[in-house]
Amino acid sequence: MKQVRMQVRDLTFSYGGEMAADHISFDVHKGQFVGLIGPNGSGKSTVLKNIYRALKPDGGSIVLDGEDLLRMSYRKSALKLAVVGQENEVPFDFTVEEIVAMGRSPHKRLFDIENSRDKFIVRHALEHLGMEDMAKRSYLHLSGGEKQRAIIARAVAQESDFFVLDEPTNHLDISYQMQIFDFIQRLNITVLAAIHDLNLAALYCDYIYVLKDGRILLSGKPEEVFTPENIYDVYGVRSSVERHPITGKVGITFLPAGIIRARAS
Ligand code: ADP
Ligand code: MG
């Protein structure tokens, strides 16, 4: 039996009106790459924000490594969880290296200065993301893909073994999408990620939870969850699902309505 890192039980949250997270329960096991998928507005970001403590749950519990996450000090939760959001705008004109060095802050006390170990870790994180040549560049002037790599490098510098990712590759082209997921996979850590692209989720996730209207509708391995019937139930789109001979993973092809009509007639 694999060790459970995170247990979410009956998590509820509303922004005032309808419940954006309605009794959400799930587990994340050690070393697992867990995907949260679901249509726009289904509650993925809300669930993640409650986990990384940008929002406070109305009810339910979140246990991380046997401890109540909601009672943990912010510093301790920041040591345990590294968070990469959808858009990571930072104020002021920091260099890439400075942004990555911010990953060290949960390890430091106020007024601690960066020591040689911090410098080594920052350099290593930059190298891991292939960004050592960009260390002195301004973060604000990077492309979207480079910014996201810098933010992942910051998460690496944080030395957490649990990443929480909210659609980390949104707006990026396919080469950066693959590159970022490949980097994360190579870290061999525990991952909880909202992923909006079903094929990417099928390629990288070990386990999937499908959200709709703030509830978990389905869960299972990608090949269990991604069936044409389920995809139609959740997204209202027809698809064909095949196991790919090279990846061994399921691949989803979406079928335009025009083609379905032509085949039916
Ligand atoms: P997802 O990340 O799956 O697209 P969200 O968690 O962002 O979904 O949104 C879930 C629901 O909560 C949606 O109906 C959305 O409109 C609503 N919502 C999200 N953020 C806010 C907010 N700051 N204020 C009010 N409603 C919000
Ligand atoms: Mg979202």
Side-chain angles (χ1 to χ4, degrees):
M1 183 62 189
K2 264 197 175 169
Q3 184 192 332
V4 179
R5 297 280 325 259
M6 182 179 283
Q7 289 168 297
V8 177
R9 289 292 176 272
D10 286 323
L11 176 72
T12 58
F13 182 85
S14 94
Y15 292 96
E18 273 176 48
M19 291 236 247
D22 188 356
H23 295 86
I24 299 284
S25 299
F26 64 89
D27 289 344
V28 181
H29 294 258
K30 185 174 159 65
Q32 239 182 357
F33 198 126
V34 173
L36 286 184
I37 68 142
N40 289 336
S42 58
K44 303 180 294 296
S45 297
T46 302
V47 169
L48 295 182
K49 283 176 184 165
N50 276 278
I51 288 171
Y52 66 75
R53 305 180 76 187
L55 296 172
K56 206 167 173 294
D58 296 330
S61 63
I62 304 170
V63 172
L64 177 63
D65 296 331
E67 255 188 88
D68 184 350
L69 178 67
L70 305 173
R71 288 169 175 274
M72 218 179 260
S73 72
Y74 283 100
R75 175 191 287 271
K76 189 164 179 193
S77 37
L79 277 169
K80 284 178 167 281
L81 298 178
V83 180
V84 177
Q86 225 159 343
E87 321 236 303
N88 299 281
E89 287 312 324
V90 294
F92 308 117
D93 198 11
F94 288 108
T95 65
V96 170
E97 193 175 51
E98 285 164 340
I99 295 282
V100 177
M102 287 173 193
R104 303 301 302 152
S105 59
H107 297 268
K108 320 289 286 179
R109 304 261 153 213
L110 196 60
F111 306 126
D112 265 4
I113 54 158
E114 199 181 41
N115 59 34
S116 58
R117 185 174 134 74
D118 295 321
K119 289 204 174 83
F120 173 81
I121 289 167
V122 168
R123 188 118 309 266
H124 174 82
L126 285 165
E127 280 166 15
H128 188 82
L129 275 294
M131 295 201 88
E132 58 274 37
D133 296 340
M134 290 179 222
K136 303 291 179 201
R137 296 228 340 240
S138 153
Y139 176 83
L140 291 176
H141 295 124
L142 299 180
S143 74
E146 289 162 349
K147 275 186 182 156
Q148 208 58 341
R149 268 157 71 201
I151 297 298
I152 306 262
R154 182 178 71 183
V156 170
Q158 198 181 319
E159 294 187 298
S160 140
D161 63 353
F162 195 138
F163 277 24
V164 177
L165 311 167
D166 193 351
E167 303 199 34
T169 63
N170 238 14
H171 317 303
L172 303 186
D173 67 42
I174 188 65
S175 69
Y176 279 129
Q177 291 192 2
M178 300 287 288
Q179 193 182 50
I180 282 179
F181 280 114
D182 286 339
F183 280 132
I184 292 166
Q185 196 172 47
R186 265 195 8 231
L187 292 170
N188 268 324
I189 51 171
T190 307
V191 179
L192 173 62
I195 301 176
H196 124 139
D197 185 302
L198 302 189
N199 280 304
L200 276 179
L203 283 177
Y204 291 96
C205 295
D206 302 309
Y207 205 81
I208 304 263
Y209 291 92
V210 182
L211 286 172
K212 195 176 183 187
D213 300 330
R215 297 205 184 103
I216 292 180
L217 201 67
L218 297 162
S219 63
K221 295 184 181 142
E223 62 270 28
E224 295 165 343
V225 164
F226 294 138
T227 64
E229 297 74 28
N230 287 342
I231 291 168
Y232 187 76
D233 284 348
V234 178
Y235 295 94
V237 172
R238 301 285 178 196
S239 62
S240 159
V241 179
E242 255 99 22
R243 200 181 275 273
H244 193 273
I246 296 175
T247 63
K249 313 278 185 184
V250 288
I252 301 142
T253 306
F254 299 104
L255 304 173
I259 290 180
I260 310 250
R261 270 198 304 277
R263 279 170 65 96
S265 60

